[in-house]
Amino acid sequence: MNEDIFREALLTVQARRQQALVEYENRQNEVSMEIPQITEINSQLAQTASKLLALAQSGRSITEALETLQHENQEAQHLSANLLIRHGYPADYLDIHYHCPKCQDTGYTQDRYCTCLQDEVAAIGIREMNRQTHLTLCTFAQFSLEYYRNFTGPNGEDCYTVMQKILQRCRKYAEKFSTNSESLLLYGKTGVGKTHLSLAIANEVIQKGYNVIYDSVINLLGNIEQEHFGRANEHDDTLSLLLNCDLLILDDLGTEFDTTFNASCLYNIINTRLNKGLPTIISTNLDYIDIRAQYEERIVSRLFALYTSLQLVGTDVRLRKKMQNET
Ligand SMILES: Nc1ncnc2c1ncn2[C@@H]1O[C@H](COP(=O)(O)OP(=O)(O)O)[C@@H](O)[C@H]1O
Ligand SMILES: [Mg+2]
Ligand SMILES: [Zn+2]
C-alpha cells in the first residue's frame, strides 16, 4: 500500500474519532444545562468502576455485589434514556457516535485494518487519480459497444464482436483482480477506447482497496527523471511507487522521448514488476511492428511473451462523439 495515502487515510479516520468525542462532549454540556438530573445519574454511572475496584480490594465476595451494581447501572441507564426522551432528545443522545462503530474510529479492529480505513485508502487513491484524469467518465457502464457496430477491423474482423469480447475480458479482469493478475498490453489506433478501458479497470480495482497508479508514460518518466537529476526527495519517490503498487497503468507508451534514460527506466519498471509478479497494464497506439522498431529487444520480448495483448479495433470514438455533438 502506498504509505502516504495510508497515512492520510489513517489521519482522516482518527480525525473522525476526535470529532466524535468533541461532539459527544458538546452534547453532554448541552444536556447538563437542560437536565441537571442526568448529570447526577451519569456521574453515578461513572463511579461504577471505582466501586468495583473498592469491592475487589475489600476481599468480600463480589458476585452478589456485582449483580446489584449491574442492576443499578441498568436502571440508571434506563432513567437517563427516559429523561432524554421526555425532553425531546433521542435515547442515544449521550452515547459517543462513532462514524465507524466497528473500530470506534481507530482504524483497527483487533490487530487488523478496519474496512473503514481500507475504504478511506481507496477513496484517497481515486481522488488522487481524479486530479489528472476524467476517471469518473471512464467506467464500464459508460463504455458503449454501439460505436463499433458495422465496422470491419484491419484483418477483416467484425469490430463489434471483437470489442464485445475485449470488454468482457476487461470486466472480468477488474472483477477478479488480485496482485497475481496477468499484465495486459492494450494496443490499437487512436480513440478506440484504450485509455477508457484501462481507467474503467482502475476504477473498479481502486474500489476494491488496491493501490493503483495511473498516468501517461510521459508524465511518469518525466517525474522520475526530475527526481533522479534534481532534488532527490525520499518521500516523493515515484520510481519506488511504480515498482511496488498493486496495479500500474502506463498510458500511451511510445509517446515519450527516445532517450537512454527513458529506455532503461522503462525496462526497469517492466522487468522489476514482472519479477515481482505484479500486474501492469500498458496502452499504446503502436502495433507489433512499431514496438519492434522503437524498443530494445529485452523490452519487446517481455511485452510480447509475458503480457496478454489485446488489440482494440474500431473507429476513433472521440471523433465520432465530436461529430455527433456538432450535428
Ligand atoms: N466504447 C466507448 N464508449 C463510450 N466512450 C468511449 C468509448 N471508447 C472511447 N470513448 C471515449 O472517447 C474518447 C477517446 O477514447 P480513449 O479511451 O481515450 O481512446 P484511446 O486511449 O484508445 O486513444 C474518450 O473520451 C473516451 O471516454
Ligand atoms: Mg489513450
Ligand atoms: Zn472502522
Side-chain angles (χ1 to χ4, degrees), residues 199-223:
L199 284 176
I201 293 175
N203 237 324
E204 276 207 28
V205 172
I206 286 171
Q207 268 165 46
K208 285 175 193 277
Y210 288 102
N211 178 216
V212 180
I213 295 182
Y214 162 88
D215 208 338
S216 68
V217 173
I218 292 191
N219 284 348
L220 291 173
L221 291 179
N223 290 347

Side-chain angles (χ1 to χ4, degrees), residues 33-94:
M33 308 272 272
E34 209 171 313
I35 328 172
Q37 218 184 328
I38 283 211
T39 319
E40 208 172 299
I41 296 170
N42 279 340
S43 76
Q44 219 176 317
L45 277 173
Q47 278 162 23
T48 310
S50 47
K51 278 189 195 164
L52 268 176
L53 196 67
L55 256 175
Q57 281 166 348
S58 73
R60 278 184 290 146
S61 141
I62 25 181
T63 339
E64 200 182 322
L66 205 64
E67 258 173 40
T68 320
L69 255 180
Q70 228 164 21
H71 188 72
E72 274 176 24
N73 237 346
Q74 268 168 6
E75 218 159 304
Q77 271 169 6
H78 230 85
L79 209 63
S80 161
N82 279 341
L83 273 170
L84 281 171
I85 291 169
R86 235 185 302 147
H87 283 80
Y89 292 104
D92 67 350
Y93 197 63
L94 287 182

Side-chain angles (χ1 to χ4, degrees), residues 147-148 151 159 190-193 313-318 320:
Y147 292 108
Y148 309 98
F151 280 96
C159 292
T190 307
V192 286
V313 291
T315 53
D316 187 336
V317 176
R318 190 181 288 110
R320 288 274 299 279

Side-chain angles (χ1 to χ4, degrees), residues 66-322:
L66 205 64
E67 258 173 40
T68 320
L69 255 180
Q70 228 164 21
H71 188 72
E72 274 176 24
N73 237 346
Q74 268 168 6
E75 218 159 304
Q77 271 169 6
H78 230 85
L79 209 63
S80 161
N82 279 341
L83 273 170
L84 281 171
I85 291 169
R86 235 185 302 147
H87 283 80
Y89 292 104
D92 67 350
Y93 197 63
L94 287 182
D95 295 350
I96 305 178
H97 298 160
Y98 293 111
H99 190 274
C100 174
K102 232 183 354 179
C103 71
Q104 305 200 326
D105 297 340
T106 58
Y108 296 90
T109 50
Q110 276 125 22
D111 50 1
R112 295 164 149 237
Y113 299 142
C114 183
T115 47
C116 72
L117 181 57
Q118 290 168 12
D119 290 347
E120 199 51 39
V121 166
I124 295 172
I126 287 186
R127 206 188 56 211
E128 290 292 307
M129 280 181 52
N130 264 331
R131 264 214 265 271
Q132 296 142 1
T133 57
H134 308 288
L135 189 66
T136 44
L137 299 175
C138 290
T139 59
F140 286 121
Q142 252 133 353
F143 192 84
S144 160
L145 286 171
E146 289 311 310
Y147 292 108
Y148 309 98
R149 210 183 274 286
N150 301 325
F151 280 96
T152 308
N155 307 312
E157 68 278 34
D158 174 40
C159 292
Y160 185 93
T161 318
V162 172
M163 290 304 289
Q164 191 176 33
K165 283 204 188 112
I166 287 182
L167 174 61
Q168 250 170 25
R169 187 95 193 245
C170 290
R171 271 184 187 274
K172 209 157 154 203
Y173 184 90
E175 192 186 312
K176 298 236 157 88
F177 182 85
S178 79
T179 49
N180 299 319
S181 289
E182 59 192 337
S183 289
L184 302 179
L185 179 66
L186 306 180
Y187 70 105
K189 296 216 153 51
T190 307
V192 286
K194 302 179 296 292
T195 299
H196 191 121
L197 278 182
S198 43
L199 284 176
I201 293 175
N203 237 324
E204 276 207 28
V205 172
I206 286 171
Q207 268 165 46
K208 285 175 193 277
Y210 288 102
N211 178 216
V212 180
I213 295 182
Y214 162 88
D215 208 338
S216 68
V217 173
I218 292 191
N219 284 348
L220 291 173
L221 291 179
N223 290 347
I224 295 170
E225 192 170 9
Q226 259 189 0
E227 285 165 24
H228 188 73
F229 293 113
R231 14 122 242 138
N233 183 350
E234 235 183 293
H235 302 290
D236 202 20
D237 186 352
T238 305
L239 181 60
S240 79
L241 288 179
L242 296 196
L243 295 180
N244 294 302
C245 63
D246 299 331
L247 174 62
L248 172 64
I249 301 182
L250 297 175
D251 202 16
D252 264 335
L253 179 79
T255 49
E256 74 284 0
F257 286 115
D258 182 11
T259 63
T260 330
F261 180 85
N262 280 349
S264 80
C265 219
L266 263 177
Y267 171 71
N268 181 13
I269 294 168
I270 291 171
N271 188 49
T272 306
R273 291 187 60 86
L274 282 171
N275 285 343
K276 290 182 187 230
L278 288 170
T280 308
I281 297 178
I282 296 182
S283 89
T284 180
N285 289 354
L286 306 177
D287 63 18
Y288 183 78
I289 296 168
D290 302 329
I291 292 178
R292 279 219 102 87
Q294 199 163 326
Y295 293 97
E296 42 186 311
E297 176 55 28
R298 56 183 187 162
I299 290 184
V300 176
S301 59
R302 278 170 180 74
L303 288 184
F304 286 113
L306 303 172
Y307 277 53
T308 302
S309 7
L310 301 176
Q311 184 181 14
L312 280 72
V313 291
T315 53
D316 187 336
V317 176
R318 190 181 288 110
L319 214 63
R320 288 274 299 279
K321 283 187 165 175
K322 206 174 144 208

